[in-house]
Amino acid sequence: TFERSEEARAAGLSLKRSRPRPAQRHAEVHCLLQVPVLEALSEAEILVVELADVGPGFSWAEPCSRGCMQLLMKYGVRQGSWTDGRGGLVTRPFRHEPELDVP
């Protein structure tokens, strides 16, 4: 972000793009934040559903590999399921990796 509109223009950005965007939280992180004691997740399962932008249906909702997947593995979530964008679910077991250094 820029303090003044002149700085944004000098960087080749419009005023609209120079404003901060609202924070966005992934569903997996939101779910983990609801758990009072993360160690209680041992052997837990998670289901992630992403609604389609247009019309009734579901989008692909696989956890991102760099953050969400690592958090689920670090805290011992046993298995994850997510919508596949074609009306079905994909299920995958997770390996518990308590020593992961998650960004």
Side-chain angles (χ1 to χ4, degrees):
T1 61
F2 300 97
E3 301 239 352
R4 298 185 327 235
S5 59
E6 295 81 24
E7 293 173 340
R9 278 194 290 275
L13 298 174
S14 68
L15 284 175
K16 190 176 189 180
R17 295 205 58 199
S18 65
R19 295 184 185 161
R21 296 185 314 177
Q24 185 176 7
R25 182 179 295 153
H26 289 205
E28 300 85 352
V29 173
H30 181 76
C31 181
L32 293 175
L33 288 172
Q34 308 307 307
V35 179
V37 179
L38 289 173
E39 288 75 22
L41 290 172
S42 177
E43 298 300 310
E45 296 181 22
I46 189 169
L47 170 64
V48 182
V49 175
E50 185 169 331
L51 300 176
D53 291 335
V54 178
F58 302 107
S59 297
W60 181 254
E62 181 178 13
C64 63
S65 61
R66 185 81 178 115
C68 293
M69 189 76 78
Q70 289 183 354
L71 280 169
L72 296 173
M73 292 169 65
K74 178 177 181 76
Y75 292 109
V77 174
R78 181 176 62 85
Q79 177 175 285
S81 299
W82 53 87
T83 52
D84 68 2
R86 293 175 287 164
L89 287 175
V90 174
T91 300
R92 176 179 162 191
F94 298 135
R95 201 175 53 247
H96 187 197
E97 299 279 345
E99 303 302 319
L100 274 176
D101 184 21
V102 182

